[in-house]
Amino acid sequence: STFATPMIEGPRPFYVIDAPDKFGMGSGKGKIAACISIFADGKRNVAIHTLPRTEEDIKREVTGILSVTSPTGVFDNIDIPEIKSKELAALATSVVWADKQLYVKRTVELPNRTLWIFALNGAKFNEDIARRCVMIRIDARKDLNGRRANTRTFDFVPEQVAYDHYTRVVHAALTLLRYWVVSGRPRDPHLALGSFEHWVHVVGGTLYSLGAI
């Protein structure tokens, strides 16, 4: 989705990386979000944000992220029981974000081309936001005592591997998008997501042309 941004004429849904509520800590949600961010802008260090609880603070946080034209906005370690923000609902379907500047009687308008990622355990959203999300579920497979069913250790840092392979991943992603274009930009006839029709056409169409869905 992030590599297809220039091709998508409209909003994109939120990406929610979720794990079971009780044993989701340490399952790798933040690392996946960080790797996506590295692939999006090629920088090793990723800015991680906490999701504020008030509507005013959420709007201010979003404006701050958009003002630096960050390709991704990552919210991690979210401990809000249920996310039901009107500001977030508006953000997901807005291509232009408007907010009033502090101490200045002027409204600033910022293009919303950012890929928004939320990482949390036991994700709960109200219906208005839930329909604006693509869910990515991680199950660490722990038993009732909190122990991992299959304990594995790795001798690498995922973020560093993502950074080292950035060029290869970008080349591969653009090759897939190019294949979709030369194939006539087909649509998946069975895939639909309200408010995100063009995102579905580009991303879903690419996967459809490859036979992935």
Side-chain angles (χ1 to χ4, degrees), residues 8-85:
I8 299 174
E9 299 175 357
R12 294 175 296 176
F14 295 146
Y15 283 79
V16 178
I17 305 174
D18 178 42
D21 191 14
K22 190 172 182 180
F23 300 128
M25 295 180 62
S27 57
K29 303 180 300 297
K31 290 187 177 297
I32 292 177
C35 288
I36 294 174
S37 294
I38 291 170
F39 292 142
D41 65 7
K43 296 179 180 178
R44 174 63 178 83
N45 297 317
V46 176
I48 304 296
H49 306 268
T50 57
L51 184 65
R53 290 181 174 271
T54 68
E55 294 287 81
E56 181 180 348
D57 288 339
I58 288 175
K59 193 164 190 175
R60 186 179 299 117
E61 188 75 14
V62 168
T63 299
I65 295 172
L66 291 176
S67 65
V68 296
T69 62
S70 175
T72 58
V74 179
F75 292 102
D76 196 5
N77 298 316
I78 300 173
D79 60 355
I80 300 174
E82 182 183 20
I83 299 176
K84 48 186 177 181
S85 166

Side-chain angles (χ1 to χ4, degrees), residues 3 165-179 206 210:
F3 302 114
H165 292 78
Y166 167 74
T167 303
R168 293 179 61 187
V169 170
V170 172
H171 182 270
L174 295 180
T175 299
L176 298 182
L177 289 168
R178 175 63 178 167
Y179 178 79
T206 299
L210 296 168

Side-chain angles (χ1 to χ4, degrees), residues 134-152:
V134 172
M135 303 298 295
I136 302 169
R137 181 71 168 177
I138 296 177
D139 190 347
R141 298 186 182 278
K142 294 183 178 181
D143 61 23
L144 295 178
N145 295 317
R147 297 171 299 194
R148 293 188 187 278
N150 296 300
T151 302
R152 294 186 61 185

